[in-house]
Amino acid sequence: MEDYPEELRTPPVTLVSLVGFPELHSTISTYLHTEQPPINTLALPDFSKISVMARNPKDKTLDSSSSAQPGGILKKDWLLKHRTRAPAVIAALFSSQHVSGDPAQWLQVCTDLENLKVVARGRNAKTVVVVVQSTESDEVSEDRIIALRKRAEVDSKYLLNFVSDASQLKESLNRLGSTFAELANTYYREEGKRIKA
């Protein structure tokens, strides 16, 4: 049994990618690793790095017309890939100052979201948009939140405010963890149906 790779010897682990706002990556990752079940993270410091998650053109999707792979069978290294390289959920973290800032900052947020949506759609990954506030009073206008949600094409419950202030941090982490778990379950259920088909 020790000869088998780790992904076959241990329970499946969810993978979530954190993009942007690198100051929070270690805090969020540490929290997610302590969850039951734990959640792995793929942290990318900025949006210019999201191309590493783009679907490899050599990857062929499993479908019923594929003669090389019998239906319902996972491809080689599928488990490893989904534990380390292909996230179920991609979380875009933006500073509240960038979201509510000057037009150039807002335009950059919109550009980053468009690029992220292309990558997420290619992988069928779920998207969460997180607006990071340093304090609870550091709020973004309702109009800008609605515009951000529409731009990201996410349901309102997947656009989260994350207050990094010490008094609100635990609550923000709990909300983030439960949202990631919910979306990851949806992703893996859909992925399982797609493979079976």
Side-chain angles (χ1 to χ4, degrees):
M1 191 75 168
E2 291 84 30
D3 296 341
Y4 291 119
E6 180 186 359
E7 66 271 11
L8 298 178
R9 290 183 283 120
T10 57
V13 180
T14 300
L15 179 64
V16 171
S17 180
L18 306 172
V19 186
F21 217 95
E23 299 86 357
L24 280 177
H25 289 185
S26 66
T27 303
I28 294 171
S29 295
T30 302
Y31 174 79
L32 294 176
H33 284 127
T34 61
E35 285 288 271
Q36 288 303 323
I39 298 174
N40 278 347
T41 55
L42 174 64
L44 304 173
D46 59 63
F47 287 85
S48 66
K49 309 286 187 221
I50 62 173
S51 62
V52 301
M53 290 184 291
R55 184 174 291 281
N56 185 339
K58 293 178 184 174
D59 282 352
K60 295 182 179 103
T61 58
L62 287 176
D63 59 19
S64 56
S65 65
S66 175
S67 60
Q69 195 84 33
I73 305 292
L74 296 176
K75 289 175 24 176
K76 180 183 174 198
D77 294 335
W78 188 92
L79 286 171
L80 177 65
K81 179 175 87 172
H82 283 269
R83 277 180 94 132
T84 59
R85 297 186 312 266
V89 180
I90 301 173
L93 285 78
F94 295 105
S95 165
S96 59
Q97 284 86 19
H98 290 160
V99 173
S100 61
D102 65 52
Q105 289 175 320
W106 172 247
L107 188 60
Q108 185 60 49
V109 167
C110 293
T111 302
D112 291 342
L113 275 174
E114 290 301 319
N115 294 336
L116 185 73
K117 285 189 319 190
V118 169
V119 170
R121 279 192 195 118
R123 286 248 171 239
N124 295 324
K126 305 301 178 191
T127 305
V128 175
V129 177
V130 181
V131 178
V132 180
Q133 301 170 220
S134 54
T135 62
E136 202 169 359
S137 62
D138 187 21
E139 283 197 39
V140 178
S141 74
E142 187 65 31
D143 291 343
R144 195 51 69 95
I145 290 292
I146 291 169
L148 184 63
R149 186 178 62 76
K150 286 182 179 178
R151 176 70 66 164
E153 297 175 11
V154 296
D155 192 80
S156 60
K157 68 180 182 176
Y158 302 127
L159 194 150
L160 306 173
N161 287 327
F162 187 97
V163 182
S164 59
D165 183 276
S167 63
Q168 297 287 317
L169 184 62
K170 184 70 172 169
E171 183 182 325
S172 294
L173 288 169
N174 285 336
R175 190 170 46 245
L176 204 58
S178 64
T179 302
F180 288 167
E182 175 191 336
L183 284 173
N185 284 336
T186 303
Y187 169 81
Y188 290 120
R189 196 169 29 253
E190 289 173 0
E191 200 59 16
K193 287 179 184 173
R194 187 182 68 78
I195 289 170
K196 284 179 185 176

